[in-house]
Amino acid sequence: KVDEDNVFKFLNVTDVNNVVNNKNGTGIILFGFATSEWTNYYAKYVNDVAKNVGIKEIMYYDFESDRKERNGTYETIVNSLGVYTKFDDYNTADIYAPTLIVVKNGKIILYNDSTSMRDGNYTPDIYWNDYQIEEFKGYLSYAFKEYLKED
């Protein structure tokens, strides 16, 4: 759903870890799965708002294989996100797709995984109605403008 003229830069698990676990880390990261229709819709709206407010780059991390493998660097990221992550019935913390984090000077100023787990069984084309789109875009616009503010 994202056009070719987009703000996304593809990262690997090590790159993401360097932003999340750096006391001066700064960046916007979209965690997603390329195979997820939910991620594709979410990414489109993130890209639209980013371009509109002047965000030049959003890091995209397709973490599907790293999550399946539970590699050490992925686990470090999950642990670093601590209070934001969700836990399953086996008390295992995890990140779900899509998730967007905004990190500024080593602090997470936004963590959004609002469509990663949903109530009800419906598809993204039904969920993303005009109201949801405008609400989400307003929320992102505010967060991205805060990110761009000089300290």
Side-chain angles (χ1 to χ4, degrees), residues 29-34 36-46 60-61 63 67 86 95-101 111-118 124 127-128 136:
I29 304 170
L30 174 58
F31 294 77
F33 297 162
S36 166
E37 191 176 5
W38 285 94
T39 297
N40 290 323
Y41 272 82
Y42 192 97
K44 179 194 180 338
Y45 305 128
V46 168
Y60 175 75
Y61 169 41
F63 67 103
R67 188 170 91 173
K86 293 193 171 41
I95 304 166
Y96 293 90
T99 293
L100 181 73
I101 66 169
Y111 185 99
N112 181 272
D113 60 357
S114 60
T115 62
S116 66
M117 301 181 93
R118 301 158 315 278
Y127 175 83
W128 288 109
F136 185 61

Side-chain angles (χ1 to χ4, degrees), residues 38-89:
W38 285 94
T39 297
N40 290 323
Y41 272 82
Y42 192 97
K44 179 194 180 338
Y45 305 128
V46 168
N47 183 63
D48 291 349
V49 173
K51 288 169 68 174
N52 188 46
V53 301
I55 299 287
K56 302 292 184 216
E57 178 182 282
I58 293 179
M59 297 169 261
Y60 175 75
Y61 169 41
D62 187 329
F63 67 103
E64 189 169 19
S65 65
D66 289 327
R67 188 170 91 173
K68 283 180 186 172
E69 293 172 13
R70 310 287 314 173
N71 70 43
T73 308
Y74 174 76
E75 288 294 329
T76 299
I77 293 168
V78 171
N79 290 335
S80 297
L81 297 176
V83 298
Y84 299 104
T85 56
K86 293 193 171 41
F87 286 79
D88 65 18
D89 290 343

